[in-house]
Amino acid sequence: VPTALHQLYYDPNIENKNLAQKWLMQAQVSPQAWQFCWALLSPDKVPEIQYFGASALHTKISRYWSDIPTDQYESLKSQLFSQIACFSSGSKMVLTRLCVALASLALNTMPEAWPGAVAEMVRVFQEEGGGVDGRARCLALLELLTVLPEEFQTSRLPQYRKGQVRGALGREWGSVCPLLQQLLRRADSPGAVKARVLRCLSSWVLLDVPLNESEGLVHDCFSALSDPELFDTAVEAVVNAISQPDSQRYVNTLLKLVPRVLALQDQLREAVQNGDMETCHGICRIAVTLGENHSRTLLEQVDHWQSFLALVNMIMFCTGIPGHYPVNETTSSLTLTFWYTLQDEIMSFESDKQAVYLQVYRPVYFQLVDVLLHKAQFPSDQEYASWSSDEKEQFRIYRVDISDTLMYVYEMLGAELLSNLYDKLGRLLTNTEQPTSWQHTEALLYGFQSIAETIDVNYSDVIPGLIGLIPRISINNVQLADTVMFTIGALAEWLADHPVMLSSVLPLVLQALGNPDLSVSSVSTLKKICRECKYDLPPYATNIVAVSQEVLIKQIHKTSQCMWLMQALGFLLSALPVEDILRNLHSLITPYIQQLEKLADETPNPSNKLAIIHILGLLSNLFTTLDISKQDDESADGSAPPVKATPPPPGPNPVVVVLQQVFALIQKVLSKWLNDSQVVEAVCAIFEKSVKTLLHDFAPMVSQLSEMLGQMYSTIPQASALDLTRQMVHIFASETDHFPPIKALFELVTSVTLSVFQQGPRDHPDIVDSFMQLQAQALKRKPDLFLSESLDVKAVFHCGILSLKFPEAPTVKSTCLFFTELLPHCSDVPPLARVVQEDGKLLVQAVLEGIGGGASRSLMDQFAEVLFSLNKHCFSLLAVWLKEALQPPGFPSSRITTEQKDNFSQQILRERVNKRRVKDIVKEFTLLCRGLHGTEYAAEY
């Protein structure tokens, strides 16, 4: 063992380290461990070796307790006691491991074999002797008492034992509490002892010991907060004690704690003045923990309402603590969830009671809004420039948290909150005496935006005034400009109902589009306006298109913003007459088509590949939202579309006109880039987005696109082509006119994919996944496709069985879907009935293999669906197949008995209606197969 340990700690060769580690792990659990453990603890060994000895002891006691004969309990206990005494002035890490070992022994023997264990520990260590000084003995005892509850929390005791031991430990608190109190109150107790006492209390309160029994100790912890050495440990102890779920039963104890918390305010103010962030943080944690865990209890003590209000105000002070988060303070963020909790409690009272509380707390929440908006303000430009990118990101997240809180508070304060913000903003912008800081204006607008983004403000009478104020803001700063943009975006739905106001905000948005610093906010705002207000935008369309074209040509925006901008233009054009759409499309797309023509002639290289993908992406995004059918314009409440909805104009859809014009060019690009999956994906995306948006209007393109897809896929099979084929099958397979080209395409891609399977499909899980989804879609939309002579149904079925054994979970999911779509057609599609009859047993075997441990546990529901479907549609065959498949010993797992297999079969065959029950049966069986039944893994499952 010493040699192996030396290798583990000091050998530079990683392979030797790994070998040593493996050997030592085995040594720990071997029967010889009992002998060598004690030898390794001898005083002449180095601490690393002694530590291993102590760890091996703990492993044997905690995991192999049943190996220890009952008559050896006493000697094991006394040996551990004497070793702990020896090490109490030796290595700290070895001492802790020995304490953990003795704690484990105590947990295994309480309460029957070792009644009064804790009282005995206290007695043994309080006896003089062994030449060990009192302080070292005292620290060793405290270490032992601290690790005992911790070891209980992580122990592997069975559930019934856990209950017994928890009860026994609870009864032992009577021996621990007075000792801790005595040590904490003695004037001559060294700091190290007091700190250990506080840690020990923290550990015991996690066992839910009654708060009223440790009340005196908790008050002592408050006294310890004035000692800087003990401050952190005392905070932990108080926080742990008052956040135990059980503590809310002890109302009187909690009421006595409120003044103790309020008494910390002087210490808190002093810490703020001295810039002592740690102390602020600790005191704030205590106040928030008391408020958050017990607001209901404390609100209900009506006679004490003033002291609870004082606690709320103390937390308000913490929310508004001076300085900028996260640079000068990190405390305010701790308080935000308290405000949610308090509001929830107030709003949950019945109305009479609620009214009384609202009288007291509405003003508090209005004050909170002021405090939060003050905290959300940006620092001065100079200071902000000095922050690191990490600090700026933390500040951004903090503002999002404030935004969420404001949105929540709105539920309590309602429309008055918006009026309040509007009045403040109005005063700020019309006050000519004092120059206002942009930070102040920005924070108020941010408050508006936070609420308007998620709450319907249509009824609010202050929005017209707000929109009137926006042009008055002198924007001289990026952060302010961003917030102005996002605020306009948040009001897009309101603008749709009040289109007359568009003229006052649209120029601001179009102006911002030209500024690269405002890229995200200006483009997303324009997109929202174009989506929500498209029927009111025709008068502005020429202008919007011109500005957008200009910024696209100047390449002001990054790729993703260019894509959003194209989506915005798609929404905008949708509402125009067809001839205007075509005219705008022509001017918008022509420069890109010319660029694409040039690129198509060049020899492929990485830079022109990016340019091609960019142009194809712009077209895809434009066609995603360009929809003249008015189908999606139902208002949010599901009422009829706007009056302006008219039947689509006659003639081909503008998108189809454009696609037909560029079709030859796209084919040319493809021919050069066929073996590049990203370019193929970008081409497929154009058509896929168009098909999804246009639906049946896409019909004129079906035959030429089917032909192109077939050629593409035959040359180099790629998943994106299968996904597009799936879309086409979904929309057009049931239409007589389009059935021939779709049928030909489906048969072609199926036969090409079957040859991929013959050559070895393991390298193409994405193709297999998409292929299974395509087959499932075909079975769902047009099972007649499987009647064709030229489709090898048997081969497709066998591919499915192979695919069930893939390691990639998404592929297996799609394959299970394929089988659950296929099995119901056994009755109406003869070729499918034949293949299931001949080869169904192979499917059952593959499913059982997956359940037996061959597949990830996350897939069990999908396998259960296949079994359920088999049972529903092939009942008599399934009974035979299950019997035959489960016959071989050791299948699907060597851990399963014949009886368990029979039981599983009977349970499955019995359930033909309740799918949920089949899923439970499969979960149960897979745990048995994996040897996980009844373990902690099973509990998480």
Side-chain angles (χ1 to χ4, degrees):
V1 171
T3 318
L5 281 164
H6 191 274
Q7 267 185 332
L8 179 65
Y9 288 116
Y10 304 112
D11 193 320
N13 181 331
I14 194 76
E15 279 183 14
N16 292 350
K17 273 185 193 297
N18 290 343
L19 277 171
Q21 173 137 14
K22 204 168 175 185
W23 187 87
L24 288 164
M25 298 292 280
Q26 287 164 341
Q28 268 194 335
V29 302
S30 67
Q32 293 77 36
W34 288 118
Q35 282 72 52
F36 70 68
C37 286
W38 304 109
L40 295 179
L41 284 165
S42 72
D44 57 343
K45 298 280 188 280
V46 293
E48 287 88 347
I49 290 177
Q50 295 170 329
Y51 178 83
F52 181 77
S55 285
L57 267 174
H58 172 241
T59 304
K60 296 297 279 183
I61 294 170
S62 61
R63 295 192 191 174
Y64 301 95
W65 179 251
S66 53
D67 298 354
I68 305 171
T70 331
D71 55 4
Q72 285 185 23
Y73 291 175
E74 274 309 311
S75 67
L76 182 56
K77 185 166 79 183
S78 58
Q79 270 178 297
L80 278 167
F81 268 129
S82 62
Q83 285 290 351
I84 290 172
C86 293
F87 277 94
S88 60
S89 45
S91 161
K92 170 81 173 67
M93 65 177 185
V94 181
L95 173 66
T96 301
R97 289 322 285 165
L98 288 167
C99 288
V100 173
L102 181 56
S104 186
L105 181 135
L107 296 175
N108 277 303
T109 49
M110 308 170 72
E112 303 84 5
W114 189 3
V118 176
E120 186 177 333
M121 291 173 185
V122 173
R123 197 179 59 253
V124 168
F125 280 94
Q126 280 181 331
E127 286 166 2
E128 295 291 326
V132 180
D133 75 359
R135 179 179 163 205
R137 269 206 326 278
C138 176
L139 285 169
L141 170 61
L142 287 170
E143 183 64 23
L144 178 57
L145 294 177
T146 304
V147 299
L148 186 62
E150 290 169 357
E151 179 66 8
F152 171 75
Q153 305 288 1
T154 57
S155 67
R156 299 175 173 214
L157 296 170
Q159 215 45 51
Y160 77 95
R161 276 284 294 148
K162 269 211 149 155
Q164 285 178 341
V165 175
R166 181 186 281 275
L169 282 170
R171 291 189 292 280
E172 298 277 12
W173 178 236
S175 315
V176 179
C177 192
L179 168 75
L180 298 183
Q181 217 157 354
Q182 179 196 348
L183 288 171
L184 209 47
R185 288 178 180 179
R186 270 175 58 174
D188 60 345
S189 280
V193 169
K194 287 184 173 179
R196 197 65 62 80
V197 167
L198 294 168
R199 283 233 325 275
C200 188
L201 170 62
S202 269
S203 178
W204 276 82
V205 293
L206 294 176
L207 292 172
D208 256 351
V209 292
L211 186 63
N212 59 347
E213 289 179 22
S214 43
E215 185 182 318
L217 255 177
V218 175
H219 282 278
D220 294 341
C221 293
F222 274 96
S223 309
L225 289 167
S226 57
D227 180 343
E229 299 284 294
L230 301 176
F231 181 82
D232 291 343
T233 341
V235 168
E236 282 309 318
V238 172
V239 165
N240 287 336
I242 56 184
S243 53
Q244 281 316 300
D246 190 48
S247 57
Q248 53 204 23
R249 297 196 345 233
Y250 305 101
V251 180
N252 291 330
T253 303
L254 290 169
L255 284 171
K256 287 182 214 160
L257 290 178
V258 176
R260 292 303 303 253
V261 176
L262 295 174
L264 297 171
Q265 289 181 95
D266 290 342
Q267 193 179 348
L268 174 62
R269 287 204 176 83
E270 196 179 319
V272 170
Q273 274 166 352
N274 300 335
D276 174 355
M277 281 159 77
E278 278 70 28
T279 303
C280 295
H281 205 82
I283 293 175
C284 172
R285 270 184 71 198
I286 292 174
V288 167
T289 305
L290 183 60
E292 216 171 289
N293 287 287
H294 304 294
S295 49
R296 179 95 193 178
T297 312
L298 295 170
L299 278 167
E300 284 174 335
Q301 306 311 306
V302 187
D303 300 343
H304 299 268
W305 70 273
Q306 282 161 309
S307 70
F308 183 58
L309 182 58
L311 177 69
V312 172
N313 284 322
M314 179 177 176
I315 296 174
M316 180 79 78
F317 175 79
C318 295
T319 305
I321 210 154
H324 285 290
Y325 181 93
V327 178
N328 324 103
E329 63 93 6
T330 53
T331 300
S332 56
S333 61
L334 298 179
T335 64
L336 297 179
T337 47
F338 163 74
W339 298 109
Y340 285 77
T341 310
L342 178 60
Q343 179 175 326
D344 285 345
E345 297 301 359
I346 291 170
M347 302 309 276
S348 69
F349 288 117
E350 63 277 11
S351 55
D352 304 352
K353 217 169 174 185
Q354 193 187 98
V356 177
Y357 284 113
L358 284 174
Q359 233 174 336
V360 177
Y361 285 100
R362 263 179 78 90
V364 172
Y365 272 85
F366 273 113
Q367 186 195 345
L368 173 68
V369 172
D370 290 345
V371 167
L372 289 175
L373 289 177
H374 181 71
K375 292 297 291 181
Q377 283 188 27
F378 278 88
S380 70
D381 296 336
Q382 194 182 353
E383 195 182 332
Y384 190 64
S386 72
W387 285 12
S388 69
S389 58
D390 188 40
E391 286 166 340
K392 288 177 178 171
E393 178 57 10
Q394 280 184 32
F395 180 59
R396 186 191 68 76
I397 294 167
Y398 174 67
R399 279 174 45 107
V400 171
D401 292 341
I402 286 180
S403 172
D404 292 344
T405 311
L406 289 172
M407 196 177 77
Y408 204 74
V409 167
Y410 179 84
E411 288 179 29
M412 185 197 239
L413 302 181
E416 200 184 329
L417 171 54
L418 288 177
S419 314
N420 187 303
L421 291 175
Y422 172 64
D423 293 342
K424 287 198 171 77
L425 189 64
R427 281 202 298 278
L428 203 62
L429 294 174
T430 51
N431 179 354
T432 46
E433 301 340 24
Q434 286 169 299
T436 54
S437 71
W438 69 263
Q439 286 90 341
H440 202 156
T441 310
E442 190 279 333
L444 284 169
L445 272 179
Y446 184 68
F448 256 114
Q449 177 209 324
S450 304
I451 294 160
E453 227 162 16
T454 40
I455 285 159
D456 178 13
V457 291
N458 267 1
Y459 62 86
S460 166
D461 51 0
V462 303
I463 305 295
L466 171 67
I467 294 219
L469 284 175
I470 285 177
R472 299 186 62 149
I473 298 171
S474 63
I475 300 175
N476 47 9
N477 164 286
V478 171
Q479 283 93 358
L480 175 57
D482 256 337
T483 302
V484 169
M485 280 305 115
F486 284 128
T487 306
I488 295 171
L491 296 171
E493 284 182 41
W494 184 90
L495 286 165
D497 292 333
H498 308 81
V500 64
M501 304 298 279
L502 276 167
S503 58
S504 61
V505 291
L506 203 54
L508 290 173
V509 179
L510 294 178
Q511 189 189 344
L513 272 186
N515 183 343
D517 292 334
L518 305 180
S519 182
V520 173
S521 60
S522 62
V523 175
S524 68
T525 296
L526 182 65
K527 183 179 157 185
K528 280 181 179 171
I529 290 176
C530 290
R531 186 180 64 216
E532 300 300 335
C533 313
K534 61 180 170 190
Y535 297 113
D536 304 297
L537 290 177
Y540 309 97
T542 318
N543 198 4
I544 296 174
V545 173
V547 174
S548 303
Q549 263 183 293
E550 189 186 340
V551 300
L552 284 166
I553 289 164
K554 285 186 180 165
Q555 298 183 335
I556 282 176
H557 301 287
K558 293 202 175 100
T559 302
S560 52
Q561 276 69 53
C562 294
M563 301 305 159
W564 292 359
L565 189 50
M566 278 302 203
Q567 287 180 21
L569 294 171
F571 286 125
L572 172 76
L573 296 181
S574 303
L576 301 180
V578 170
E579 57 277 15
D580 291 357
I581 298 180
L582 285 167
R583 196 182 64 250
N584 278 297
L585 278 178
H586 182 72
S587 72
L588 194 60
I589 291 176
T590 305
Y592 293 110
I593 300 303
Q594 289 167 347
Q595 223 178 322
L596 197 58
E597 281 169 339
K598 257 196 7 233
L599 291 164
D601 290 328
E602 292 175 13
T603 314
N605 68 50
S607 73
N608 58 23
K609 169 181 161 172
L610 284 177
I612 287 172
I613 289 176
H614 181 74
I615 293 171
L616 296 173
L618 292 174
L619 295 176
S620 294
N621 280 282
L622 180 61
F623 297 156
T624 303
T625 54
L626 208 173
D627 181 8
I628 58 172
S629 68
K630 319 274 195 292
Q631 57 187 4
D632 288 329
D633 291 320
E634 294 197 0
S635 56
D637 57 4
S639 58
V643 188
K644 301 167 184 131
T646 51
N653 186 294
V655 172
V656 172
V657 174
V658 174
L659 283 176
Q660 284 174 327
Q661 285 167 359
V662 298
F663 198 79
L665 173 59
I666 288 177
Q667 275 182 302
K668 185 176 175 184
V669 171
L670 256 186
S671 63
K672 285 208 173 168
W673 290 89
L674 249 186
N675 56 0
D676 188 298
S677 64
Q678 287 169 304
V679 175
V680 172
E681 221 165 280
V683 168
C684 289
I686 289 186
F687 293 107
E688 198 174 343
K689 299 279 201 303
S690 309
V691 172
K692 273 184 179 166
T693 310
L694 302 184
L695 302 171
H696 299 286
D697 278 357
F698 189 81
M701 300 287 301
V702 170
S703 65
Q704 58 190 132
L705 181 57
S706 299
E707 195 182 333
M708 181 177 98
L709 265 176
Q711 289 166 351
M712 239 165 83
Y713 194 73
S714 313
T715 319
I716 297 183
Q718 300 202 12
S720 49
L722 288 173
D723 296 335
L724 178 50
T725 305
R726 186 177 84 237
Q727 278 293 326
M728 306 262 285
V729 167
H730 175 62
I731 293 166
F732 294 108
S734 314
E735 298 191 6
T736 326
D737 301 351
H738 302 298
F739 186 62
I742 295 282
K743 175 174 182 279
L745 174 62
F746 179 71
E747 288 172 6
L748 177 64
V749 298
T750 300
S751 81
V752 170
T753 313
L754 292 178
S755 60
V756 170
F757 267 90
Q758 277 166 341
Q759 289 151 19
R762 273 302 305 112
D763 302 336
H764 308 286
D766 55 336
I767 290 182
V768 175
D769 186 350
S770 296
F771 179 62
M772 285 297 144
Q773 288 187 49
L774 167 63
Q775 297 293 325
Q777 182 68 267
L779 285 160
K780 194 174 182 168
R781 302 293 292 182
K782 192 71 176 164
D784 293 6
L785 285 164
F786 292 83
L787 292 169
S788 162
E789 290 294 314
S790 26
L791 194 80
D792 189 343
V793 176
K794 196 178 178 75
V796 173
F797 189 86
H798 279 260
C799 290
I801 287 169
L802 271 177
S803 311
L804 277 181
K805 300 177 186 181
F806 268 48
E808 291 81 6
T811 306
V812 181
K813 262 185 189 166
S814 303
T815 310
C816 289
L817 176 71
F818 161 65
F819 283 117
T820 48
E821 289 291 352
L822 180 145
L823 291 163
H825 290 296
C826 286
S827 52
D828 58 3
V829 182
L832 293 175
R834 272 199 303 281
V835 72
V836 171
Q837 218 154 0
E838 289 165 18
D839 295 328
K841 182 182 163 187
L842 295 174
L843 172 60
V844 172
Q845 281 171 326
V847 167
L848 290 171
E849 197 177 309
I851 296 170
S856 152
R857 284 200 347 246
S858 65
L859 292 162
M860 291 309 117
D861 279 0
Q862 280 76 18
F863 283 123
E865 300 243 6
V866 178
L867 281 177
F868 182 72
S869 194
L870 278 162
N871 202 18
K872 207 169 170 177
H873 302 288
C874 326
F875 175 70
S876 50
L877 288 166
L878 179 64
V880 178
W881 291 333
L882 274 175
K883 192 173 180 187
E884 290 176 5
L886 289 169
Q887 201 84 52
F891 181 84
S893 159
S894 53
R895 296 189 177 90
I896 290 283
T897 64
T898 312
E899 190 185 343
Q900 286 169 322
K901 290 199 239 185
D902 292 346
N903 183 29
F904 171 68
S905 287
Q906 284 160 10
Q907 283 181 307
I908 290 287
L909 292 166
R910 214 175 291 138
E911 288 300 338
R912 299 182 66 185
V913 182
N914 187 342
K915 194 189 289 183
R916 182 72 261 153
R917 177 80 189 100
V918 175
K919 289 180 178 178
D920 292 341
I921 296 165
V922 167
K923 277 184 181 167
E924 188 82 4
F925 190 63
T926 197
L927 290 170
L928 288 168
C929 289
R930 295 163 198 260
L932 296 174
H933 201 267
T935 63
E936 54 211 87
Y937 290 106
E940 292 160 19
Y941 190 31

